[in-house]
Amino acid sequence: MQHQHTNSLINETSPYLLQHAHNPVNWKAWNNKTLEEAKKTGKLILISVGYSACHWCHVMEHESFEDNLVAQVMNKHYINIKVDREERPDVDQTYMNAVQLMTRSGGWPLNVVALPDGRPIWGGTYFPKEQWLSALEQLAKLYIESPEKLYQQANNVEKGLKTLDMIELNTDAPIFEKAFIDLAVKKWSALFDYHFGGLNRAPKFMMPNNYHFLLRYAYQNNDTNLLNYVNHTLTQMAYGGVYDQIGGGFSRYSVDNKWHVPHFEKMLYDNAQLVSLYSNAYLVTKNKLYKNIVEETLEYINREMTTNEGAFYSALDADSNNIEGKLEEGAFYVWTKEELKTLLKEDFKLFADYYNINNYGHWEHGNYVLIRKDDDETIIKRHGILKEKLNKKVSCWKALLLETRTTRPKPRLDDKTLTSWNGLMLKGYIDAYRVFQKQEYLDSALKNASFIVNKLRKEDGGLYHTYKEGKSKINGYLEDYASVIEAFIALYENTLDTKWLNTSRDLTNYTFDHFFDENSNMFFFTSNEDSLLVSRNIEYRDNVIPSSNSIMAKNLFKLGHYFDNQYYTKTATTMLNNVKPEIMEYASGYSNWLDLMLNYTHSYYEIAVVGANAKQKILELNKTYLPNKLIAGSTHESSMPLLLNRYIANKTLIYVCINKTCKLPVSETDIAIKILKE
């Protein structure tokens, strides 16, 4: 019988750390106590970073960290620290940058060896057991025999890290022109895949913010070719196996170029942003498919990812137990032909055509990942079936297979709550409410917003980063503030409750006190209250999630308008100007900045709605896609700069303004929309 070890991770709350609590490796958590111990003992530090939905992290754990011999070497020579990258994105970012500097590549699991002072000297991602052992033994030997070589390496890496995320204050005048964006998009479009949508590569990531920007840019410039490309991409993603055709919600990415076979983990942040994206795309196109995607994805979030308190969990693992009781990737989601024939009986032929139970939809070992190829119209013609009948059948299939699937062993749930991702999901619910005007979406949004205010705020008015089992811990990062502020501004625009707008302003002022860099006029990722890492990063490149600085710049742009605050406005402009020199070469890595730039290159409207019927008028306005506007409103007298002296009893008026200069007020929304589209 194998001896059951327990290490100090047993005291943690992160599901990923708890998964390693019984490894023979003497893992510790990243905290001041552990770092002090390294300095005292003079031992090298081994930092291993992963997350609960990471497939190769589990593989390496099984091969190396559960192995007694490997554990012996690790425990003898190293202070071993396990990090959940979602819980400590600051640690992850610093050491990921180091590994990318040293090896030109990165990913998870991320394994780094550092000197007792935390400065990195060696690292990589996944290592097979033998390679891992030999590297650790060589480094330990080198540290004893020629430590000066390792100190030299640490100095070099430290220098490199300091220049990596450096962003200079751009002293050129801020000039933002449409021609600049046109050229950036033109260069970017060379990478488009016009056949399957997305970029011409595999694996394929959804990159919601890229399409959020391209949709808006195409719409504001009447670029039908680009709009068609965005719609084609969204349709292919919705048809793909990367979307859970039975249970709703998206996986992280597909391993192929047709959005077919995903890496089956489902992350809150992807689904949050995709709900926002498909909601906006529906406003532009009125495409029923997009509405279905939003409804099914929010059903999934409500069913699988929401706590009783209205908070959201982080992720579902890719792996679950198969029939043999072995962990297998995708086991929960895939189907065999025999299984489907038994379940669907005489419907199997139609189902097999609809979801491609053929070579197109086959994955491996006789397993199929459902994928659509043809639209409903094509299927209707080919099978001579009525539209209503097909819709009814598809609904029945989904219900039947969903019910069947619930009897299978479930993938593991990462049940911690992250403030930043909750902010994104909150925004998803608000965007869905704005577009589809379903009260239940607003209810979920308000419940989550109250949770953030009541459970995730610190006594000094700041935010925590994580929450689990009634405990909040870990000081908030810039990403937490950025996404919550953005969501609260949107919540104000849809409820007219000034509490949310004022909280946004208070949180913004908090970030100026604790995160702002006076030299560059950008924001650091970590608070000035946190203990210093090897480098203090400024995160400004947009990725699967937009960068915390680009979201903050957008927030400052809007809040500058709401509060007539010149300092906010100037900071937003400077931040965009700082990043501008890098955008042209790699537009897809700066799509949220480009989205902000559109506010400067095209007219940007302040819409003020004042009077007893203000909420009704705003619901009517929201039926039209108007990306270049903010909404202020009140049902009574208000001292807000945009609403001051605009209340007239027994009337509800809509003011359309640009830079505080307003057209004559109108009482009909269609006339207001006409002014906005002039």
Side-chain angles (χ1 to χ4, degrees), residues 237-499:
M237 277 162 34
Y239 280 2
V242 76
Y243 180 69
D244 180 353
Q245 299 293 339
I246 298 306
F250 289 85
S251 297
R252 253 181 81 219
Y253 62 91
S254 72
V255 296
D256 48 63
N257 67 349
K258 64 179 187 187
W259 306 105
H260 182 211
V261 178
H263 231 326
F264 288 88
E265 67 266 38
K266 284 178 169 177
M267 314 301 289
L268 182 69
Y269 59 79
D270 283 316
N271 287 288
Q273 295 179 90
L274 288 161
V275 165
S276 294
L277 175 62
Y278 277 94
S279 297
N280 281 325
Y282 176 79
L283 262 196
V284 177
T285 60
K286 300 295 186 280
N287 182 341
K288 183 86 167 41
L289 172 71
Y290 298 169
K291 186 182 182 189
N292 292 345
I293 292 287
V294 172
E295 287 176 348
E296 291 172 5
T297 300
L298 288 177
E299 276 166 25
Y300 148 70
I301 293 294
N302 188 41
R303 187 178 66 237
E304 311 271 344
M305 303 291 282
T306 308
T307 76
N308 296 335
E309 297 176 281
F312 304 116
Y313 297 129
S314 294
L316 277 173
D317 205 332
D319 306 344
S320 55
N321 285 334
N322 59 18
I323 302 165
E324 285 90 52
K326 283 202 179 89
L327 269 187
E328 182 189 320
E329 196 186 349
F332 185 72
Y333 299 100
V334 299
W335 304 89
T336 63
K337 203 177 268 189
E338 288 59 45
E339 217 176 350
L340 291 168
K341 278 182 175 164
T342 309
L343 286 164
L344 295 156
K345 304 183 175 62
E346 67 275 8
D347 262 5
F348 175 76
K349 193 166 170 263
L350 180 59
F351 178 95
D353 191 23
Y354 195 83
Y355 285 120
N356 290 286
I357 309 304
N358 50 34
N359 284 340
Y360 191 77
H362 181 254
W363 175 27
E364 57 183 21
H365 317 309
N367 284 321
Y368 291 83
V369 175
L370 305 187
I371 181 172
R372 292 182 58 186
K373 195 175 179 181
D374 299 321
D375 61 13
D376 285 359
E377 300 309 315
T378 309
I379 299 278
I380 286 163
K381 277 193 194 125
R382 194 154 57 222
H383 293 267
I385 184 173
L386 288 171
K387 190 176 183 166
E388 286 67 38
K389 195 171 179 194
L390 177 68
N391 290 344
K392 206 170 166 192
K393 278 190 183 294
V394 171
S395 296
C396 290
W397 297 338
K398 286 183 177 186
L400 173 66
L401 295 189
L402 187 64
E403 200 183 329
T404 308
R405 210 168 74 172
T406 52
T407 62
R408 298 174 174 177
K410 275 191 162 172
R412 287 187 290 200
L413 171 73
D414 189 314
D415 60 355
K416 68 176 175 297
T417 289
L418 294 169
T419 307
S420 48
W421 299 3
N422 270 250
L424 295 172
M425 193 67 243
L426 169 57
K427 175 88 165 36
Y429 266 108
I430 300 162
D431 286 333
Y433 169 72
R434 169 173 54 81
V435 173
F436 301 108
Q437 306 189 355
K438 280 191 175 179
Q439 185 59 38
E440 68 203 70
Y441 295 165
L442 182 60
D443 294 343
S444 296
L446 287 166
K447 191 172 179 184
N448 181 258
S450 301
F451 172 85
I452 291 172
V453 166
N454 295 326
K455 297 289 168 77
L456 294 173
R457 278 194 92 173
K458 303 187 303 173
E459 282 178 16
D460 70 352
L463 294 169
Y464 287 107
H465 177 59
T466 57
Y467 177 90
K468 188 169 178 250
E469 291 158 4
K471 286 200 279 278
S472 278
K473 54 180 221 167
I474 299 179
N475 196 16
Y477 301 106
L478 186 64
E479 63 175 35
D480 299 308
Y481 292 87
S483 71
V484 167
I485 292 165
E486 182 172 51
F488 282 4
I489 294 171
L491 195 52
Y492 163 74
E493 288 187 281
N494 286 276
T495 60
L496 304 186
D497 184 344
T498 50
K499 169 173 86 175

Side-chain angles (χ1 to χ4, degrees), residues 85-148:
R85 73 172 288 246
E86 295 162 2
E87 196 176 56
R88 291 302 303 249
D90 56 334
V91 177
D92 173 55
Q93 205 175 34
T94 296
Y95 289 106
M96 179 63 77
N97 285 347
V99 166
Q100 285 178 322
L101 268 178
M102 295 187 278
T103 67
R104 300 263 176 280
S105 68
W108 299 276
L110 177 71
N111 291 293
V112 181
V113 171
L115 294 174
D117 61 11
R119 292 185 302 152
I121 50 173
W122 175 87
T125 52
Y126 164 78
F127 293 92
K129 180 175 143 185
E130 299 312 319
Q131 210 182 327
W132 178 243
L133 256 179
S134 110
L136 294 186
E137 283 169 335
Q138 279 173 333
L139 282 162
K141 190 166 176 254
L142 198 59
Y143 185 53
I144 294 162
E145 291 170 6
S146 344
E148 69 285 353

